[in-house]
Amino acid sequence: MASRSSGPSGCWARLPQLLIIIIVATLLASGLFVALPLLRGRPDLPRGTSLILVEGNIVRVAADPAKEVFLVPLGGVGGATGEQTVVQVATGTPAVLPTAAATATTQPLPTAPPPTITPIPQASCIAFTNYTVASGDTLFSISRKFVTSIPLMARHGISSTSLIPAAVIRVPVGDPACCSGGWRPYVVEDGDTWFGIAAQCGITTDALLQGNGLASGAPLFMASVICIP
């Protein structure tokens, strides 16, 4: 009876099977190594310390060799009283971080001041004079002939359509009866200020205000009638 050969040719025949077993075992071991941190239910944190942003605050995260996590304030471990202020997160348990208290206060938006209403000058400071319109008259030329202004005339119904040659119009003017002590009426123009008018008259702003019976800081309105020296 012939005997079966058990020489080197039989070992070479079984070599592919051994390689397949080794490769499969290696893959299983690698997959188990990668899946272990996930199966243990905790993140694989690096050793040492790192900075993270928690609820708008920057904190330092320190991991010890046992993978326990501590949240340490940036000012240091010890507070003003020397007590340690740390928050320990147990391994394998999801951490619920404390909510930081709001430190910024909401500032109300500034509101625009209400518009200034220009009052109509008092009737006692305005007089009316009749004027016959001549050919070539304009509102500006009439305002130069009398103590008045274009806005003041407009408030009393005089416009460029009123300037019909030979027509008689009633021009509002500053009433001299409003002023005393040698002072005369003046109709405030656009851009006038108490300081500017006082400088043109050669007096101080306080003296001009006092001459009109007004206190410091009184408003000045266009087309109003004041008294100047």
Side-chain angles (χ1 to χ4, degrees):
M1 181 174 63
S3 61
R4 291 180 301 178
S5 176
S6 59
S9 60
C11 295
W12 285 107
R14 290 193 297 269
L15 182 61
Q17 298 177 356
L18 293 175
L19 290 176
I20 293 174
I21 294 174
I22 292 173
I23 293 173
V24 171
T26 303
L27 292 176
L28 290 177
S30 300
L32 182 61
F33 178 77
V34 173
L36 271 179
L38 299 178
L39 295 176
R40 288 157 58 186
R42 65 183 182 187
D44 188 11
L45 295 177
R47 295 178 180 273
T49 61
S50 59
L51 301 180
I52 62 173
L53 184 66
V54 179
E55 295 290 338
N57 296 315
I58 299 177
V59 297
R60 181 182 292 112
V61 176
D64 65 8
K67 298 296 178 63
E68 292 180 334
V69 179
F70 297 90
L71 301 182
V72 183
L74 283 180
V77 176
T81 58
E83 299 177 355
Q84 186 178 14
T85 306
V86 296
V87 178
Q88 181 176 358
V89 181
T91 59
T93 304
V96 180
L97 297 176
T99 302
T103 57
T105 57
T106 303
Q107 298 293 335
L109 295 176
T111 56
T116 303
I117 300 176
T118 303
I120 298 176
Q122 298 180 2
S124 58
C125 292
I126 297 175
F128 292 89
T129 182
N130 292 334
Y131 175 72
T132 302
V133 179
S135 179
D137 273 340
T138 63
L139 293 176
F140 178 77
S141 64
I142 294 174
S143 68
R144 299 300 94 185
K145 292 178 182 180
F146 301 96
V147 183
T148 187
S149 67
I150 296 176
L152 181 59
M153 288 188 288
R155 284 183 174 174
H156 291 277
I158 299 177
S159 65
S160 57
T161 59
S162 306
L163 304 183
I164 302 173
V168 177
I169 58 176
R170 300 185 70 226
V171 181
V173 298
D175 188 358
C178 286
C179 304
S180 60
W183 287 34
R184 57 186 175 87
Y186 173 77
V187 180
V188 178
E189 299 279 359
D190 184 21
D192 277 341
T193 62
W194 287 113
F195 176 80
I197 296 174
Q200 291 180 2
C201 295
I203 60 175
T204 64
T205 303
D206 290 338
L208 181 61
L209 287 166
Q210 292 174 4
N212 285 272
L214 300 172
S216 178
L220 183 65
F221 300 102
M222 183 178 65
S224 60
V225 178
I226 63 172
C227 296
I228 61 175

